[in-house]
Amino acid sequence: MSTSRTSPERAASPDRRLVHRPAVDGGRRRVVVGPEGANAVVRLRTAAVVLTAAGAVAVLGLLALALGDYPLSPSQVIAVLTGRTDGFERIVVVEWRLPRALAAAVFGAALAVAGGVFQTLTRNPLASPDIVGLANGSFTGMLVALMLLGGGWSLITAGSLIGGLAAAVAIYLLAYRGGIKGFRFIVVGIGVSAMLASVNTWLILRADVETALFASAWGAGTLNNVTAETAYPAMAAVAVLMAVLPPAAPALRQMDLGDDMAQATGVRVGRARTAAIAVAVALVSVVTAVAGPIAFVSLAAPQIARRIAGAPGIPLVATAVFGAGLLLASDLIAQHVVPLTIPVGVVTVVFGGAYLVWLLIHEARRGR
């Protein structure tokens, strides 16, 4: 005896091709969007968000090149960038302002992607390098290199990288209990961050006045001292590290569903997590070596990108574009909106702190 009913296995199969299926509801036709249709909608929305955000970043970059003590019009900036104008205007745009604007965009993207990696691995929106202590670890490494080894670009960069990696290893080992749980990782990271902050304060207090003033300003997170000599090598390092992430994106998406699900689909969780953490720590360390520990970009940008794009996970491309826009906008405010030029980290702390309060309230309401 045959039956026309569909078996539960067939009805639940993810291979069904119900992209758009007309249905009847009270005499009206409606469209049921299946898995493929939903994924297509998310991809289209994410692409639209990325293009719109990239346009906003381009406008912010144009403003960064035009505003200053020697103001220029957008048409003058475009003429310089296209090689149609030379002389003093080219010096102002290309030599003085362009390194800082590019650094703000690239560093913001790097911090945002690092935050997105950590939030994906821990499956917690509160996980970011500045919250869990990686930025303070990089700051500690920089201070040791500056005070004990005499400083220098190569030594400061190496010290910042080693400090960030050491902090990451310490947090990982302290939080590991047969696996990494997001909440435990964050709590341990906050504790390590507090300890490193105390060490950094002690190191600054023991330094001479000139070194202490430089370290204090740098520790707030600033782009005021960025030059072509320091920014371009750091941006090249960020580009190399970013190029490593696309092959790891499928594993990150699977790990966002949980370690068991990722292992069931063939992902080597331990190796993938270690590699992703190493890349994220390196991104933070490179940025910290040049601009100091800029706070809250890593925390806010991934979640803003995810919510606006409507994606189930954190879209790394959209996250990078939003991070670039956030740091560019914050740097413009730090330079041209407030009465005095202040470190960009002060602006990101103000906006990031407000976002953190909102996020905590939102998560608390969801947990009820």
Side-chain angles (χ1 to χ4, degrees):
M1 180 178 178
S2 63
T3 178
S4 61
R5 291 185 301 174
T6 304
S7 66
E9 291 80 10
R10 180 177 178 82
S13 173
D15 294 328
R16 67 189 188 277
R17 299 295 185 259
L18 298 180
V19 179
H20 290 87
R21 181 185 64 191
V24 178
D25 184 11
R28 295 175 296 177
R29 290 175 64 86
R30 60 185 176 88
V31 175
V32 179
V33 180
E36 292 183 355
N39 291 336
V41 170
V42 170
R43 286 194 296 268
L44 288 175
R45 178 171 174 175
T46 302
V49 167
V50 168
L51 291 176
T52 304
V57 170
V59 172
L60 291 171
L62 191 63
L63 288 175
L65 298 177
L67 298 177
D69 293 335
Y70 186 80
L72 299 170
S73 66
S75 60
Q76 289 176 305
V77 173
I78 294 174
V80 169
L81 295 177
T82 55
R84 292 185 284 109
T85 300
D86 209 341
F88 184 67
E89 292 179 354
R90 180 173 180 80
I91 294 175
V92 171
V93 173
V94 176
E95 296 184 13
W96 295 354
R97 296 177 184 172
L98 186 60
R100 178 167 182 157
L102 288 176
V106 174
F107 291 173
L111 292 173
V113 168
V117 169
F118 272 97
Q119 291 176 13
T120 298
L121 293 177
T122 62
R123 299 186 296 280
N124 193 309
L126 295 177
S128 72
D130 46 347
I131 295 293
V132 300
L134 300 185
N136 277 334
S138 296
F139 191 14
T140 304
M142 176 268 182
L143 288 175
V144 171
L146 178 66
M147 296 176 58
L148 301 182
L149 303 178
W153 161 248
S154 58
L155 286 176
I156 288 177
T157 303
S160 178
L161 181 61
I162 293 172
L165 287 172
V169 170
I171 295 168
Y172 188 89
L173 293 177
L174 291 172
Y176 188 85
R177 294 293 184 277
I180 293 292
K181 300 296 183 181
F183 181 76
R184 184 168 60 237
F185 184 87
I186 293 171
V187 171
V188 171
I190 291 173
V192 172
S193 178
M195 294 174 61
L196 290 173
S198 301
V199 172
N200 295 341
T201 302
W202 178 75
L203 289 173
I204 292 175
L205 290 175
R206 291 181 59 87
D208 59 79
V209 175
E210 184 178 352
T211 302
L213 289 175
F214 169 77
S216 298
W218 185 88
T222 179
L223 296 171
N224 294 339
N225 299 319
V226 168
T227 63
E229 290 75 15
T230 59
Y232 291 149
M235 287 188 280
V238 168
V240 172
L241 292 169
M242 289 285 201
V244 177
L245 284 176
L252 288 175
R253 285 194 294 268
Q254 294 301 111
M255 292 169 67
D256 193 31
L257 301 175
D259 290 355
D260 294 338
M261 180 66 71
Q263 288 176 347
T265 56
V267 176
R268 297 182 177 180
V269 174
R271 180 181 299 180
R273 178 181 286 113
T274 301
I277 288 177
V279 173
V281 171
L283 286 171
V284 174
S285 300
V286 170
V287 174
T288 305
V290 177
I294 300 174
F296 286 109
V297 175
S298 299
L299 176 71
Q303 293 301 313
I304 294 174
R306 183 181 68 83
R307 294 175 189 278
I308 294 180
I314 295 176
L316 291 182
V317 175
T319 295
V321 177
F322 273 89
L326 281 175
L327 194 53
L328 260 175
S330 299
D331 192 42
L332 285 172
I333 294 172
Q335 290 186 81
H336 307 296
V337 175
V338 295
L340 298 175
T341 300
I342 60 175
V344 67
V346 176
V347 179
T348 60
V349 164
V350 172
F351 288 108
Y355 172 79
L356 179 60
V357 171
W358 175 86
L359 183 61
L360 290 172
I361 294 174
H362 177 76
E363 292 298 316
R365 289 177 176 174
R366 284 183 57 189
R368 290 179 180 176

